[in-house]
Amino acid sequence: MDAINKIRNDFPILSRKVKGKQLVYLDNGATTQKPQQVIDTIEKYYAYENSNIHRGVHTLSQEATTKYEEARETVKSFIGAGKNEEIIFTKGTTDSINLIASSFGKKLLKKGDEIIISAMEHHSNIVPWQMICEEKEAVLKVIPINKKGELIMEALEKLVSPKTKLIAVNHISNTLGTINPIKKIIEIAHKNNALVLIDAAQSIAHTPLNVVDLDVDFLVFSGHKMFAPTGVGILYGKEALLNDLPPYQGGGDMIKEVTFEKTTYNCLPHKFEAGTPNIAGGIGLASAIDYIKKIGFDTILKQEKALLAYGTQELLTIDGLRIIGSADNKTSVISFVIDGIHPFDIGTIIDQLGIAVRTGHHCTQPLMNFFEIPGTIRASFAFYNTKEEVDILVKGLKRAINMLL
Ligand code: C6P
């Protein structure tokens, strides 16, 4: 058995059948599957360790608190952050962006200030900024892209102004697979005294990240896209910046002292973690990080690069298939359209063959408008995918096209 097939054995779901056919799971951009190690961690937590954290003197509570705080430490090391205080547990990428947009917006955004996003953002990195800009009468500007699906960096240089307060862009586009030059973007922003938020939802499981090397101000991601459970995610922020921002939500754990006259707030990271958190999720996230480290980014990058190259080559053998997103620097996401066929019809037919891809606008409607298409079919690979699965996809697509045309 080769190394990848051995790895596949860690993921119980990969051996199941769908509609009587072996599952071919190519929707990792939406969510990744969970290895047994993560499932076991969560099961063990609920079976033997469950308790609320930061609240009890009893043993279970103290043990759960220790595990949760160890999980924070694991996340910190994984992204190269300096301090546990800089790691805020959230519900996911969307929650993390809303936290910053709301908190940063409230404190630092004034009428006429500018926020810059890009034309390839997920709705989660558009709408929260639109909402706060509307409230504060600030201006939302958009970095344009070219037809290959790459940011036009010269345009960014022109868009930035002394009024720019923050640039929020994704590291990797969920729809196009484009890897954006985030280091360069951060440099441009800082030269202009603007802050940067990087949406790492699609990169965190696919490429190593170091927040100190990047000098990024805020970095956000979701657990479920990195082999951890849903409902948990991370906001990384530089300590001084987070200290300066007001809390996002009020409630338990985020307070130091409450009276009816005045409340004082807890220190970082608890200031941004109101209410009982997703404790099992946080511990599960640390377990997923341990798993990623065990596999190693060398293996991950090698396999995903091979899948991107092979997948692109094989898909292009299909008549009438056009790939949307052909950036020079790209990850293992392939979006495509087929002449004369709606993506939903393809998705529905190949589901009958056990193949899971995502179809639609992928929560990037402005990007669909740019390419003048209703949606795409998207195959997004993880390291546990194989070339054989690419072959099954290509065969399935040909069969679907024959039925539909
Ligand atoms: N993209 C996809 O199929 P949440 O839902 O909060 O975990 O992640 C939101 C999000 C933010 N940014 C990017 C770049 C993303 O890709 C996503 C989630 C999924 O592409 C679901 S729409």
Side-chain angles (χ1 to χ4, degrees), residues 106-313:
K106 243 184 239 165
K107 174 91 191 259
L108 298 169
L109 214 54
K110 289 188 279 312
K111 188 175 174 175
D113 282 347
E114 294 167 358
I115 300 282
I116 298 179
I117 57 172
S118 91
M120 66 172 90
E121 295 313 312
H122 187 279
H123 296 162
S124 295
N125 203 27
I126 301 175
V127 185
W129 302 112
Q130 273 176 335
M131 287 163 69
I132 196 68
C133 283
E134 202 173 318
E135 192 183 319
K136 292 290 184 162
E137 296 182 63
V139 180
L140 189 64
K141 289 176 155 186
V142 182
I143 312 167
I145 57 171
N146 62 26
K147 286 287 178 193
K148 285 167 78 177
E150 296 167 320
L151 293 179
I152 302 177
M153 291 298 283
E154 306 81 63
L156 170 60
E157 307 251 12
K158 285 187 197 132
L159 277 182
V160 184
S161 83
K163 289 183 183 164
T164 307
K165 290 289 172 294
L166 186 138
I167 301 178
V169 290
N170 62 48
H171 184 191
I172 292 181
S173 158
N174 63 319
T175 303
L176 305 171
T178 308
I179 303 175
N180 286 316
I182 53 171
K183 189 138 179 112
K184 178 88 193 134
I185 293 169
I186 292 163
E187 274 167 27
I188 294 171
H190 287 172
K191 223 186 287 165
N192 288 276
N193 297 318
L195 300 176
V196 179
L197 177 142
I198 296 295
D199 170 356
Q202 294 292 341
S203 59
I204 193 72
H206 304 278
T207 187
L209 279 170
N210 185 297
V211 290
V212 172
D213 282 356
L214 285 170
D215 194 24
V216 66
D217 302 295
F218 305 109
L219 183 108
V220 298
F221 54 92
S222 301
H224 71 96
K225 293 187 198 293
M226 53 186 301
F227 319 106
T230 50
V232 67
I234 294 295
L235 160 66
Y236 159 82
K238 285 180 181 163
E239 188 183 21
L241 294 173
L242 290 178
N243 265 329
D244 202 34
L245 296 181
Y248 174 46
Q249 294 179 324
D253 228 21
M254 54 74 73
I255 57 93
K256 192 181 277 168
E257 206 174 318
V258 180
T259 67
F260 286 120
E261 288 69 41
K262 189 171 170 53
T263 291
T264 50
Y265 304 125
N266 206 340
C267 55
L268 289 174
H270 312 293
K271 182 173 93 174
F272 290 107
E273 294 180 351
T276 301
N278 182 351
I279 305 164
I283 294 169
L285 175 56
S287 178
I289 290 174
D290 289 342
Y291 183 79
I292 291 172
K293 287 199 281 200
K294 193 173 90 185
I295 301 296
F297 273 114
D298 286 350
T299 303
I300 292 173
L301 287 163
K302 190 166 158 233
Q303 179 66 1
E304 293 183 359
K305 200 171 157 210
L307 288 167
L308 174 65
Y310 186 69
T312 304
Q313 172 196 300

